[in-house]
PDB file of all heavy atoms in Angstrom:
ATOM      1  N   GLN P 191      44.433  -0.770  -6.105  1.00  0.00           N
ATOM      2  CA  GLN P 191      43.270  -1.643  -5.978  1.00  0.00           C
ATOM      3  C   GLN P 191      42.154  -1.165  -6.902  1.00  0.00           C
ATOM      4  O   GLN P 191      42.248  -0.120  -7.528  1.00  0.00           O
ATOM      5  CB  GLN P 191      42.797  -1.686  -4.527  1.00  0.00           C
ATOM      6  CG  GLN P 191      43.838  -2.287  -3.585  1.00  0.00           C
ATOM      7  CD  GLN P 191      43.402  -2.302  -2.139  1.00  0.00           C
ATOM      8  OE1 GLN P 191      42.728  -1.379  -1.686  1.00  0.00           O
ATOM      9  NE2 GLN P 191      43.759  -3.346  -1.412  1.00  0.00           N
ATOM     10  N   SER P 192      41.102  -1.949  -6.964  1.00  0.00           N
ATOM     11  CA  SER P 192      40.007  -1.687  -7.888  1.00  0.00           C
ATOM     12  C   SER P 192      39.470  -0.258  -7.841  1.00  0.00           C
ATOM     13  O   SER P 192      39.281   0.357  -8.897  1.00  0.00           O
ATOM     14  CB  SER P 192      38.881  -2.699  -7.626  1.00  0.00           C
ATOM     15  OG  SER P 192      37.748  -2.420  -8.368  1.00  0.00           O
ATOM     16  N   PRO P 193      39.198   0.322  -6.666  1.00  0.00           N
ATOM     17  CA  PRO P 193      38.660   1.692  -6.654  1.00  0.00           C
ATOM     18  C   PRO P 193      39.588   2.712  -7.310  1.00  0.00           C
ATOM     19  O   PRO P 193      39.119   3.622  -8.004  1.00  0.00           O
ATOM     20  CB  PRO P 193      38.483   1.978  -5.164  1.00  0.00           C
ATOM     21  CG  PRO P 193      38.311   0.631  -4.535  1.00  0.00           C
ATOM     22  CD  PRO P 193      39.221  -0.262  -5.305  1.00  0.00           C
ATOM     23  N   ALA P 194      40.879   2.569  -7.087  1.00  0.00           N
ATOM     24  CA  ALA P 194      41.834   3.507  -7.688  1.00  0.00           C
ATOM     25  C   ALA P 194      41.825   3.390  -9.212  1.00  0.00           C
ATOM     26  O   ALA P 194      41.913   4.404  -9.932  1.00  0.00           O
ATOM     27  CB  ALA P 194      43.238   3.243  -7.144  1.00  0.00           C
ATOM     28  N   LEU P 195      41.728   2.177  -9.714  1.00  0.00           N
ATOM     29  CA  LEU P 195      41.647   1.994 -11.162  1.00  0.00           C
ATOM     30  C   LEU P 195      40.370   2.618 -11.727  1.00  0.00           C
ATOM     31  O   LEU P 195      40.380   3.250 -12.774  1.00  0.00           O
ATOM     32  CB  LEU P 195      41.689   0.499 -11.502  1.00  0.00           C
ATOM     33  CG  LEU P 195      43.020  -0.220 -11.231  1.00  0.00           C
ATOM     34  CD1 LEU P 195      42.846  -1.724 -11.401  1.00  0.00           C
ATOM     35  CD2 LEU P 195      44.109   0.292 -12.158  1.00  0.00           C
ATOM     36  N   ALA P 196      39.280   2.425 -11.003  1.00  0.00           N
ATOM     37  CA  ALA P 196      37.978   2.905 -11.491  1.00  0.00           C
ATOM     38  C   ALA P 196      37.971   4.415 -11.684  1.00  0.00           C
ATOM     39  O   ALA P 196      37.396   4.920 -12.657  1.00  0.00           O
ATOM     40  CB  ALA P 196      36.873   2.493 -10.523  1.00  0.00           C
ATOM     41  N   VAL P 197      38.591   5.155 -10.761  1.00  0.00           N
ATOM     42  CA  VAL P 197      38.526   6.619 -10.863  1.00  0.00           C
ATOM     43  C   VAL P 197      39.411   7.159 -11.979  1.00  0.00           C
ATOM     44  O   VAL P 197      39.231   8.298 -12.419  1.00  0.00           O
ATOM     45  CB  VAL P 197      38.900   7.302  -9.523  1.00  0.00           C
ATOM     46  CG1 VAL P 197      37.971   6.858  -8.413  1.00  0.00           C
ATOM     47  CG2 VAL P 197      40.349   7.051  -9.142  1.00  0.00           C
ATOM     48  N   THR P 198      40.354   6.353 -12.468  1.00  0.00           N
ATOM     49  CA  THR P 198      41.221   6.822 -13.558  1.00  0.00           C
ATOM     50  C   THR P 198      40.643   6.519 -14.939  1.00  0.00           C
ATOM     51  O   THR P 198      41.145   7.031 -15.943  1.00  0.00           O
ATOM     52  CB  THR P 198      42.618   6.163 -13.478  1.00  0.00           C
ATOM     53  OG1 THR P 198      42.500   4.745 -13.659  1.00  0.00           O
ATOM     54  CG2 THR P 198      43.288   6.457 -12.141  1.00  0.00           C
ATOM     55  N   VAL P 199      39.597   5.702 -15.003  1.00  0.00           N
ATOM     56  CA  VAL P 199      39.065   5.276 -16.299  1.00  0.00           C
ATOM     57  C   VAL P 199      38.656   6.440 -17.201  1.00  0.00           C
ATOM     58  O   VAL P 199      39.033   6.478 -18.377  1.00  0.00           O
ATOM     59  CB  VAL P 199      37.901   4.269 -16.120  1.00  0.00           C
ATOM     60  CG1 VAL P 199      37.149   4.071 -17.428  1.00  0.00           C
ATOM     61  CG2 VAL P 199      38.446   2.927 -15.643  1.00  0.00           C
ATOM     62  N   PRO P 200      37.861   7.420 -16.721  1.00  0.00           N
ATOM     63  CA  PRO P 200      37.483   8.518 -17.627  1.00  0.00           C
ATOM     64  C   PRO P 200      38.674   9.258 -18.212  1.00  0.00           C
ATOM     65  O   PRO P 200      38.695   9.567 -19.405  1.00  0.00           O
ATOM     66  CB  PRO P 200      36.643   9.443 -16.724  1.00  0.00           C
ATOM     67  CG  PRO P 200      36.119   8.553 -15.651  1.00  0.00           C
ATOM     68  CD  PRO P 200      37.217   7.569 -15.393  1.00  0.00           C
ATOM     69  N   LEU P 201      39.681   9.515 -17.370  1.00  0.00           N
ATOM     70  CA  LEU P 201      40.869  10.228 -17.835  1.00  0.00           C
ATOM     71  C   LEU P 201      41.650   9.400 -18.846  1.00  0.00           C
ATOM     72  O   LEU P 201      41.998   9.879 -19.933  1.00  0.00           O
ATOM     73  CB  LEU P 201      41.763  10.577 -16.648  1.00  0.00           C
ATOM     74  CG  LEU P 201      43.138  11.171 -17.004  1.00  0.00           C
ATOM     75  CD1 LEU P 201      42.972  12.541 -17.646  1.00  0.00           C
ATOM     76  CD2 LEU P 201      44.019  11.251 -15.763  1.00  0.00           C
TER      77      LEU P 201
END
Side-chain angles (χ1 to χ4, degrees):
Q191 296 179 324
S192 173
L195 292 171
V197 301
T198 63
V199 167
L201 172 67

